[in-house]
Amino acid sequence: MWGPLVPWTVAWAAWAAAAGRAVPEAAGASRACGRAPLCLNESSLQQGCCERERGAASFSAWGLSSESLLDPFPIDPIQENYVRNVRNCIFSVAYPTPFKSRVLLVAVSKEVLEDILDLDISVKEKVDFLQFVSGEKVTPGSVPLAHRYGGHQFGIWAGQLGDGRAHLIGVYTNRHGERWELQLKGSGKTPYSRNGDGRAVLRSSVREFLCSEAMHYLGIPTSRAASLVVSDDDVWRDQFYNGNIKKERGAIVLRLAKSWFRIGSLEILARSGELDLQRRLLDFVIQEHFPSIAVNDSNRYLEFYSTVVLQTANLIALWMSVGFAHGVCNTDNFSLLSITIDYGPFGFMDSYDPNFVPNTSDDERRYKIGNQANVGLFNLNKLLQALKPLLDPRQKQLASQILEEYGKHYYIRFTELFKTKLGLLGENEDDNYLIAFLLKLMEDTKADFTMTFRQLSESTEDQLKELHIPEEFWALQDLAKHKLFSEWVTRYLLRLNRNKGDSDTKRRRRMATVNPRYVLRNWIAESAIRKANLNDFSEVHLLQQVLQHPFQRQQAAEKAGYSQRPPAWAKDLKVSCSS
């Protein structure tokens, strides 16, 4: 068994030899830059070495490192890739399973490639890039890993879960000094696949690729997506768990995050009594991702917990501000860095409804949009339970008090965001009532969430004062049917008059920067998926462009009807955990 004290190159060479794999020539020789494995030899150093300084590295000279994840932790000593109960490690070495059929590169994110991975967009034309993003080729310096974690699923401890269809293929530190962990999703079986086949299908992969990027441009902390590939491999799915098994196509998303550690990463160690390993993982996470916390501070776990509580409250408030429901808010899907991860049966609300549930598998409506803040509290409590074995009695008491403040943090942040959506400046004791009043009107009239706020940002004060709602403002027209609409408008205009140094033009301009005109509604994603299933990826590409500028009116988006009333068939759409 080789652990954290064994040099990573030696450990990997030993593993690769035992597994019958060839060790790439550049493995261990790619640290010439001192920051990331890009420059592979002395001649490249003499030629100016890092093309990445110009932000456009060639793919043949580009690589990843697994050193920062292999060195600190013991690795699963079992080399074979079969489903099993794993203990006393954070990762298992597991290689992606290449597709058997042809693979097509459907889409890439230019910003992710160029600004995060230091690659020129032209890399998408290269065969070795396609092999890389489809799991066929491993870059020098990379040791593909599957992460061991557990979690509470729908409120019940589910035991060992882990990366059942994802491979962490390496870490990249870019020219900005940012550290990113790259993961293939849908890339085959791992020791944590349970009864699954390790694959993801095209429909769910399109949704993840588009939504992770859409959330980024909405200003919400999220994982990113670099590429999407589809194969002709058959993948069989019972999409709605009703016995109707259908053949679908396998797909893979290359996604990135600063870290993929989640609440469940700590829960599995606490539950298994692996406290030394839990402490090592916590110290690693703090040192790498929480620079304001001193790693030798005796209260570091308390400070860590306080930060996660605050950031989780912020994240869920941000979700609510754009009408986003995650769909599966299990503890294994909640990031320790409080970013949005693991896009499954998510949904953006059309009509405002606190009981909106995007996941048809959620029979108890546990994860309805109006319950997300409460679920956040539940998950943070489970994190606290996992941390308690590492805290002294005083720290446990303080941690419980920190958790009690979660509701206040969430409420403050929610109010701030919705005040901004309404263009309100300064403080007024009636602001909370004004927000609640509007949401109640929206609920009663089933007014569209996104477009109600957007059309308020496009309405002049004179139009509101006269209750003159233009015909194209269909969401506001729905809202105006409420008998109390005029009363709300009167209160709203009085409040706007209290905005010191403001003008109607400034107010509308300000509101237009925070109230999106376009979000990835389920019906819009479904439209793109239906075309993609016929090898027509034009709408995937269109949505990529539109969702990069969600606050700007776009001619192509208007032509596609993305800001119009959702079609009637949208109400019958179903999304499940199956992917």
Side-chain angles (χ1 to χ4, degrees), residues 306-319:
S306 178
T307 303
V308 174
V309 168
L310 184 63
Q311 291 182 349
T312 299
N314 176 64
L315 177 65
I316 298 178
L318 283 167
W319 287 355

Side-chain angles (χ1 to χ4, degrees), residues 150-278:
H152 281 80
Q153 297 195 325
F154 294 91
I156 300 172
W157 174 246
Q160 176 180 291
L161 299 169
D163 288 334
R165 55 177 172 168
H167 294 79
L168 202 167
I169 54 174
V171 179
Y172 185 72
T173 303
N174 64 22
R175 67 187 187 277
H176 307 297
E178 299 170 339
R179 176 188 180 278
W180 290 86
E181 296 179 3
L182 278 66
Q183 189 182 77
L184 295 177
K185 182 177 180 180
S187 43
K189 287 187 176 182
T190 77
Y192 309 99
S193 294
R194 294 178 286 171
N195 296 321
D197 58 14
R199 291 300 185 192
V201 296
L202 180 58
R203 58 179 161 80
S204 64
S205 301
V206 166
R207 286 168 56 82
E208 170 138 7
F209 177 83
L210 290 176
C211 196
S212 53
E213 289 301 282
M215 292 285 273
H216 168 73
Y217 291 108
L218 286 170
I220 297 174
T222 179
S223 58
R224 302 294 303 275
S227 65
L228 167 63
V229 299
V230 64
S231 74
D232 288 332
D233 282 24
D234 293 340
V235 177
W236 297 88
R237 286 291 182 270
D238 184 356
Q239 183 176 357
F240 300 114
Y241 307 104
N242 58 7
N244 187 18
I245 300 175
K246 292 184 178 180
K247 181 173 67 175
E248 302 189 52
R249 298 164 70 191
I252 292 176
V253 173
L254 172 59
R255 56 186 195 171
L256 295 72
K258 297 294 181 65
S259 172
W260 292 103
F261 290 128
R262 53 207 62 209
I263 292 177
S265 304
L266 298 173
E267 282 188 290
I268 190 71
L269 301 176
R271 288 264 178 166
S272 302
E274 300 167 43
L275 301 186
D276 288 342
L277 187 53
Q278 183 186 9

Side-chain angles (χ1 to χ4, degrees), residues 507-521:
R507 187 267 308 175
R508 283 184 286 133
R509 185 181 299 125
R510 192 169 61 247
M511 290 175 64
T513 64
V514 296
N515 289 307
R517 189 170 179 85
Y518 315 109
V519 294
L520 187 63
R521 299 169 186 264

